[in-house]
Amino acid sequence: MTDFLWTRPDTAPLATLLLAHGAGAPMDSTFMEKLAGALAENRIASARFEFAYMAGRRTGGPKKPPPKADKLIGEFQTALQKLMSEAEGPLLVGGKSMGGRVAAMLSGGGSLPSRVKGVCCFGYPFHPTGKPDADWRLSPLQDAKRPVLILQGDRDPFGNQAEIDAITLPDAVALRYLEDGNHDFGPRGKSPATLDGNINAAAQAVAEFAVGL
């Protein structure tokens, strides 16, 4: 795998987050750049990485769709092993959408290092977009062996607040809604909320989560 894309705070971090991208956008997308900056402002270091299918697009390869999420667990595990040699202190694993789902899957394994204290999911894909009657992707959350924090736009088409409030999540899962946020946390123009405000609220929640662990 390629080197990490690091974003570090000016002071000693509360934790280091291994951060994976979503299915369709790379590790340096606008959302990921904004999120990494907000995390650093809240004393969370982040190490971004790309799955092979996404990294291949940078070298002129075909625009392949992502593999099934469970096929990416090994790549996340490899990135985690690399991170453990480059970062000190407590670690978190997480990602945007699909990346967060894979992180949750990884946390259900029996060989997760003790330094990994929790999972952070930014826009968890609870179900296929706009299809709340489809099979819900709850198994990674139910099987996770670490506390999970989900940061979710309250009108996310992959699981909005009304839909999620109607189900029961495991006790180890904490959920924070972001005002009028879509899958990328962006509000509508008429909303008093802002994209930067929602991303910063998510980063603050991660810092609080890390302290609580």
Side-chain angles (χ1 to χ4, degrees):
M1 61 173 294
T2 57
D3 292 338
F4 294 122
L5 181 55
W6 279 97
T7 308
R8 294 182 172 94
D10 294 333
T11 57
L14 299 170
T16 299
L17 171 62
L18 180 59
L19 186 60
H21 56 84
M27 64 180 177
D28 56 356
S29 67
T30 298
F31 176 88
M32 295 288 277
E33 290 283 348
K34 285 179 175 290
L35 177 60
L39 288 166
E41 291 176 2
N42 286 275
R43 293 185 59 197
I44 300 294
S46 62
R48 286 174 272 168
F49 75 99
E50 285 183 339
F51 296 113
Y53 82 90
M54 182 63 72
R57 297 180 184 180
R58 295 185 182 274
T59 57
K63 190 175 181 180
K64 296 180 180 179
K68 291 184 178 180
D70 59 352
K71 303 298 183 183
L72 297 172
I73 298 172
E75 289 188 49
F76 210 125
Q77 178 71 48
T78 298
L80 176 59
Q81 292 170 347
K82 185 174 188 288
L83 179 66
M84 290 184 65
S85 67
E86 297 186 18
E88 298 180 353
L91 303 178
L92 303 169
V93 294
K96 175 73 176 78
S97 192
M98 180 197 72
R101 183 184 177 199
V102 178
M105 289 176 168
L106 174 66
S107 77
S111 60
L112 196 66
S114 60
R115 283 179 61 193
V116 179
K117 304 301 183 183
V119 182
C120 299
C121 302
F122 302 89
Y124 187 81
F126 282 95
H127 56 67
T129 176
K131 297 180 179 180
D133 296 329
D135 290 338
W136 280 58
R137 299 158 176 163
L138 297 179
S139 294
L141 306 179
Q142 295 164 340
D143 297 339
K145 294 182 173 63
R146 297 290 190 276
V148 179
L149 172 65
I150 297 176
L151 297 312
Q152 195 82 357
D154 61 16
R155 57 185 184 88
D156 191 326
F158 289 87
N160 62 43
Q161 182 171 359
E163 294 165 352
I164 299 168
D165 285 350
I167 66 172
T168 300
L169 293 174
D171 291 341
V173 175
L175 183 63
R176 169 73 179 269
Y177 290 113
L178 302 166
E179 184 180 355
D180 201 47
N182 62 16
H183 194 51
D184 293 326
F185 301 169
R188 291 167 290 192
K190 65 182 181 180
S191 173
T194 65
L195 173 60
D196 287 349
N198 279 347
I199 289 178
N200 191 58
Q204 289 178 348
V206 172
E208 294 166 2
F209 179 64
V211 170
L213 298 173

